[in-house]
Amino acid sequence: MSVLEFRRNQILLNLARSIFEEQNNLQCLVTRIMTEARDLLKCERCAVFLLNTDCSEASHLEKILERPGRLAPERKPLCRRESNNVDVDDIFQQGAHTGIHFSTLFELRAGAAEAEARGPDGGAAQSGRSSPLADIARYVAATGQILNIGDVSAWMKTDLRQEEDGFMARSILCMPIVNGQKTVIGVAQLINKANGSPFTDCDVSIFEAFAIFCGLGIHNTQMYENACKLMAKQKVALECLSYHATASAEDTSKLQLDTIPSAETYNLYSFKFIDFDLSDEDTCRATIRMFLQCNLVKQFHIPYDVLCRWVLSVKKNYRPVKYHNWRHALNVAQTMFAMLKTGKMERFMTDLEILGLLVACLCHDLDHRGTNNAFQTKTESPLAILYTTSTMEHHHFDQCVMILNSEGNNIFQSLSTEDYRYVMKTVENAIISTDLAMYFKKKSSFMELVEDGEFDWQSEGKKELLCGMMMTACDVSAIAKPWEVQHKVAKLVADEFFDQGDLEKLQLNQQPVAMMDRERKDELPQMQVGFIDVICLPLYKVLSETFPWIKPLYDGCLENKQHWQDLAEKVEMGLTWIDHDTIDKPVEEFSKGAEEDIEFTVTTLNCPEKKGGGGGGGGGGPDGGPAPPPSGLSRLVSLRRTRTLGRVMRDRLSSSLYSHGSASDSQSAAGAGGGAASGGAGAAAMAAAPAAEQAAPAAEPSPPPPPQPPPRTKPSKTRSKLCEIL
């Protein structure tokens, strides 16, 4: 290796270090690169022209958010052109009309220690003329070619002097500067070899390496500067967001002065807590009561006004989506409170962990948009690019941190540094655990511990597992509420899912999964059964076996599973239907304003008639023996629902559609109820009908009249199914 090659390699290594050492100052970086190039290639002057490209922070943010894997266009190797095959007039004419503009010129003169930064045209701009050196640089930037001019005076047929100092250019080597994306961002010029000779091919090769390092360094520095601007803008935006996201002083003072009812008043200790009757103000009072009841305010010296402001701020930062809103967060926190108190789980937790779990429950869905992680990934949203896993859960935690960092909202302000770090870790792990993907990852480990008879949950890993399972149990606890509550909540969840499915069809032109497809809404009961079997029941079962005091969650879930199974069976039979607007009333009901009559015909087949009248007790014949064979007459009972049909009658009719034992009940009633009617179901249905529609019992046996066929009307699906049950 020659001395020149060794020196060149050392200079290139120094330039590589300079890219990272001088990234916060573009002028220092360019000065260092040009100094090395000037000293190595022995030239009198060195200049760098920077293009006035769109280097704003917005454009850089767009480049950052570009889809991963997108390839930059391939660029061919630089083409070298000598002055003897380039027309000088073409260069100056093309340079004036390329539309390329330079923003800055860095010029390093002989003997100077620092580059001078100024406008690209220097003194020529004042006279209204463009600098010839700048025109040559524009031509190189436009063509992307290396231009080596050995004799400038002969090529231009005149001397090329700079007006400000009279410096004359004898030879010029001009080369484009490209960045990592192969985009031209500037032009580098070397002027006049010290020995008066033109630039050689060896000089061109060395200078090309300098141009590459110069491009990387300039691009890195521009990105760094714009990243700093973006961070500053982010801080400003965060300040504005914190101001508008923080509860008002008026609301805080009002809550601070309110009397907080007892936990028993809000039924906070019960696993069957219902928030439907609570006002928005009561939801905040109930939240305050949970903190007071756990003695967290006194234990951790939380200022009461800060707690009130924080609760109101958290409530304010929930969006008004149909399900993942503030009331869902309250229900999750209340279930955690009930598990800790009624379920006696607090004996396994420290006070600091109880504080972290309650905070995590209240904040676990902050700023939820009504769409899940899969939707964020499909739409390539900024959130999905920012967080590649557990996208929404990481965003919820970040929003929680944002509120805590807002002025007057830090309920952890009195904690020591160690306690603060621990409670924040507890909150983060708990919120991330609400991602069902994380639940499935941790489920097997938790099940193994339980099967091994683990009772010591105090180690860090086991405690984190337990807290994660508790968070999942609280997050899906609506499945264990009373049936009326569970059914209403299921409608809210379905509505939110259907809205996401509509967005997927509209924005992505994709067919959504079944649970988000509005056209498959009738499958909701069966999907609820699947959700309970796969997630809820296994979790509640293992928790209730390990911690018996939370068994009400398992029992409620099991009971609701039966309800959903019954509803799913009726949907399959065609007796019920689920509609987007009436999902909370799954029984087939008639609209109050319907004008047409709908007829239900109940046909009792093969029912023995009792001889004689009366509504007496035992069935059978007059002698107590078997009943006489049924006559060929089948009693037809017709119910016509009109506007005058009573509410009681309609309720009984609806109830009969849901009754499991319709067939068995009708048979037992037919056998036990004398001869008052042909069948028990028919008699029960006719109990509230006008007396004129009831058939009188026969006093003496008489030959039956010829059977009359029923009206030839097309039976409805509901009528057919009802007849099958009866």
Side-chain angles (χ1 to χ4, degrees):
M1 180 183 294
S2 65
V3 176
L4 180 61
E5 289 178 349
F6 176 79
R7 186 180 177 190
R8 182 183 65 182
N9 292 339
Q10 291 297 318
I11 290 176
L12 293 179
L13 287 175
N14 292 334
L15 290 178
R17 298 188 188 99
S18 302
I19 292 177
F20 302 100
E21 293 175 358
E22 305 291 347
Q23 65 179 359
N24 59 342
N25 192 317
L26 181 60
Q27 185 171 354
C28 291
L29 175 67
V30 174
T31 297
R32 189 165 179 175
I33 294 175
M34 288 195 302
T35 301
E36 299 286 357
R38 182 193 62 183
D39 295 342
L40 181 62
L41 297 177
K42 306 297 183 182
C43 60
E44 295 181 359
R45 290 195 179 186
C46 185
V48 171
F49 295 81
L50 292 186
L51 263 69
N52 187 18
T53 56
D54 184 12
C55 295
S56 64
E57 54 269 23
S59 66
H60 280 288
L61 182 60
E62 291 177 359
K63 293 175 183 177
I64 292 173
L65 298 180
E66 280 183 353
R67 190 165 48 209
R70 183 175 178 181
L71 299 177
E74 184 178 356
R75 186 179 180 84
K76 297 180 180 180
L78 296 177
C79 178
R80 303 180 185 181
R81 302 193 66 177
E82 303 292 337
S83 58
N84 55 9
N85 57 10
V86 177
D87 189 358
V88 63
D89 294 331
D90 293 341
I91 288 182
F92 291 119
Q93 291 176 3
Q94 183 175 343
H97 299 90
T98 55
I100 294 177
H101 302 282
F102 296 115
S103 60
T104 309
L105 165 63
F106 295 99
E107 188 176 33
L108 183 66
R109 299 180 180 182
E114 185 176 354
E116 178 184 354
R118 55 187 175 86
D121 292 323
Q126 299 177 2
S127 60
R129 294 182 291 104
S130 175
S131 166
L133 293 177
D135 288 337
I136 294 173
R138 288 190 185 93
Y139 173 81
V140 171
T143 60
Q145 298 176 346
I146 300 173
L147 184 60
N148 187 3
I149 304 175
D151 189 348
V152 176
S153 299
W155 178 63
M156 295 185 60
K157 300 177 183 178
T158 183
D159 292 340
L160 177 58
R161 295 181 179 274
Q162 290 184 300
E163 294 184 359
E164 60 269 20
D165 59 357
F167 176 77
M168 185 177 72
R170 299 186 302 273
S171 59
I172 298 175
L173 177 59
C174 198
M175 183 176 299
I177 299 174
V178 296
N179 58 15
Q181 283 73 39
K182 308 300 182 182
T183 303
V184 177
I185 60 174
V187 175
Q189 279 185 354
L190 294 181
I191 304 175
N192 295 352
K193 289 275 287 185
N195 57 9
S197 62
F199 291 98
T200 64
D201 290 341
C202 181
D203 295 333
V204 173
S205 299
I206 296 175
F207 191 46
E208 190 172 355
F210 276 92
I212 292 174
F213 278 96
C214 189
L216 294 176
I218 291 172
H219 181 69
N220 187 55
T221 303
Q222 289 176 339
M223 291 288 291
Y224 178 80
E225 290 178 352
N226 286 289
C228 293
K229 292 179 181 179
L230 281 173
M231 291 180 64
K233 283 195 171 186
Q234 183 186 26
K235 290 181 179 179
V236 174
L238 186 61
E239 291 175 358
C240 297
L241 179 63
S242 300
Y243 174 78
H244 292 287
T246 301
S248 65
E250 180 182 356
D251 292 340
T252 303
S253 300
K254 184 178 182 303
L255 180 59
Q256 189 176 353
L257 296 175
D258 282 347
T259 301
I260 307 299
S262 64
E264 291 77 10
T265 302
Y266 290 127
N267 200 25
L268 294 177
Y269 289 110
S270 173
F271 288 107
K272 298 184 178 181
F273 167 81
I274 302 175
D275 71 291
F276 294 158
D277 296 332
L278 298 182
S279 64
D280 287 346
E281 292 77 12
D282 279 327
T283 60
C284 296
R285 298 187 193 104
T287 304
I288 298 292
R289 172 49 61 190
M290 287 188 281
F291 278 82
L292 295 173
Q293 208 67 20
C294 292
N295 199 32
L296 300 176
V297 177
K298 183 182 296 184
Q299 177 75 16
F300 298 107
H301 308 288
I302 303 175
Y304 191 67
D305 63 321
V306 174
L307 177 62
C308 294
R309 186 179 298 106
W310 178 81
V311 170
L312 291 169
S313 298
V314 170
K315 174 179 175 293
K316 188 176 182 180
N317 279 269
Y318 273 93
R319 300 194 184 196
V321 294
K322 293 180 179 177
Y323 175 68
H324 290 97
N325 48 41
W326 161 247
R327 287 183 178 265
H328 166 64
L330 171 67
N331 278 276
V332 174
Q334 184 277 328
T335 304
M336 178 64 73
F337 177 82
M339 290 180 70
L340 293 170
K341 294 295 184 180
T342 308
K344 303 184 186 301
M345 297 295 293
E346 63 181 351
R347 63 181 62 180
F348 300 99
M349 303 290 167
T350 65
D351 291 336
L352 199 60
E353 289 164 346
I354 292 175
L355 174 64
L357 288 174
L358 284 180
V359 170
C361 288
L362 291 168
C363 298
H364 82 282
D365 273 332
L366 273 172
D367 196 46
H368 200 289
R369 286 94 188 278
T371 53
N372 60 10
N373 291 337
F375 182 81
Q376 304 299 325
T377 302
K378 290 178 183 178
T379 57
E380 298 179 347
S381 68
L383 283 178
I385 296 174
L386 192 58
Y387 314 109
T388 55
T389 59
S390 300
T391 301
M392 292 305 301
E393 287 72 25
H394 279 103
H395 178 60
H396 302 325
F397 175 70
D398 283 352
Q399 292 298 109
C400 173
V401 174
M402 184 272 293
I403 295 175
L404 288 171
N405 288 335
S406 300
E407 184 177 357
N409 283 278
N410 190 1
I411 58 176
F412 300 151
Q413 63 186 26
S414 300
L415 299 179
S416 64
T417 303
E418 183 179 354
D419 287 347
Y420 181 83
R421 186 179 297 111
Y422 183 77
V423 75
M424 289 303 296
K425 182 180 179 182
T426 301
V427 172
E428 181 178 13
N429 290 335
I431 292 179
I432 302 301
S433 296
T434 58
D435 182 5
L436 287 179
M438 299 300 297
Y439 162 73
F440 285 114
K441 286 182 180 179
K442 298 179 179 180
K443 175 185 174 183
S444 58
S445 301
F446 183 75
M447 298 293 184
E448 290 176 3
L449 287 176
V450 172
E451 290 175 0
D452 293 341
E454 182 61 58
F455 290 98
D456 181 15
W457 299 93
Q458 297 308 312
S459 65
E460 182 178 354
K462 295 176 184 177
K463 180 67 69 65
E464 183 178 335
L465 265 180
L466 178 60
C467 291
M469 295 299 113
M470 291 174 63
M471 288 295 298
T472 302
C474 294
D475 197 17
V476 300
S477 61
I479 205 72
K481 299 285 186 180
W483 170 244
E484 296 78 11
V485 178
Q486 155 60 192
H487 200 270
K488 185 173 182 179
V489 172
K491 179 206 183 296
L492 297 175
V493 178
D495 283 348
E496 188 172 292
F497 281 177
F498 291 157
D499 289 344
Q500 175 175 327
D502 295 341
L503 286 176
E504 291 182 8
K505 293 178 181 178
L506 182 63
Q507 296 183 7
L508 305 176
N509 196 24
Q510 294 181 359
Q511 184 65 25
V513 295
M515 67 178 178
M516 297 184 181
D517 191 351
R518 196 181 300 276
E519 297 176 359
R520 302 175 65 178
K521 54 184 175 291
D522 290 336
E523 301 177 25
L524 174 65
Q526 190 58 48
M527 288 187 286
Q528 284 290 97
V529 174
F531 177 74
I532 292 174
D533 285 338
V534 174
I535 296 176
C536 306
L537 270 184
L539 175 61
Y540 289 143
K541 186 174 186 295
V542 69
L543 284 176
S544 61
E545 290 175 352
T546 310
F547 312 103
W549 300 281
I550 62 175
K551 194 171 183 295
L553 289 174
Y554 176 73
D555 295 337
C557 183
L558 201 60
E559 182 179 348
N560 284 332
K561 177 187 175 182
Q562 186 60 48
H563 283 293
W564 284 115
Q565 281 181 330
D566 295 343
L567 194 55
E569 292 173 1
K570 291 181 172 62
V571 169
E572 291 179 0
M573 295 172 61
L575 292 180
T576 59
W577 54 277
I578 307 294
D579 185 78
H580 177 62
D581 296 325
T582 58
I583 197 171
D584 53 340
K585 296 179 180 179
V587 183
E588 225 174 14
E589 292 188 353
F590 309 105
S591 58
K592 295 181 179 179
E595 296 294 337
E596 68 275 12
D597 295 337
I598 300 179
E599 182 177 350
F600 285 94
T601 300
V602 180
T603 304
T604 307
L605 303 176
N606 299 327
C607 294
E609 281 192 2
K610 178 182 175 182
K611 291 184 179 181
D623 301 327
S631 64
L633 176 62
S634 296
R635 183 72 56 93
L636 301 179
V637 183
S638 178
L639 300 180
R640 185 177 297 275
R641 182 198 184 277
T642 62
R643 289 172 178 257
T644 60
L645 186 60
R647 180 179 181 85
V648 175
M649 186 61 195
R650 293 199 303 272
D651 292 343
R652 290 188 179 184
L653 180 59
S654 298
S655 300
S656 68
L657 296 179
Y658 268 93
S659 175
H660 277 294
S662 297
S664 59
D665 291 343
S666 61
Q667 292 173 2
S668 61
S678 301
M686 292 297 296
E693 292 191 17
Q694 298 194 20
E700 294 180 359
S702 58
Q708 298 295 328
R712 291 184 176 274
T713 57
K714 186 177 180 180
S716 67
K717 189 176 182 181
T718 303
R719 182 190 307 174
S720 302
K721 295 297 182 180
L722 184 60
C723 292
E724 290 177 12
I725 292 180
L726 296 178

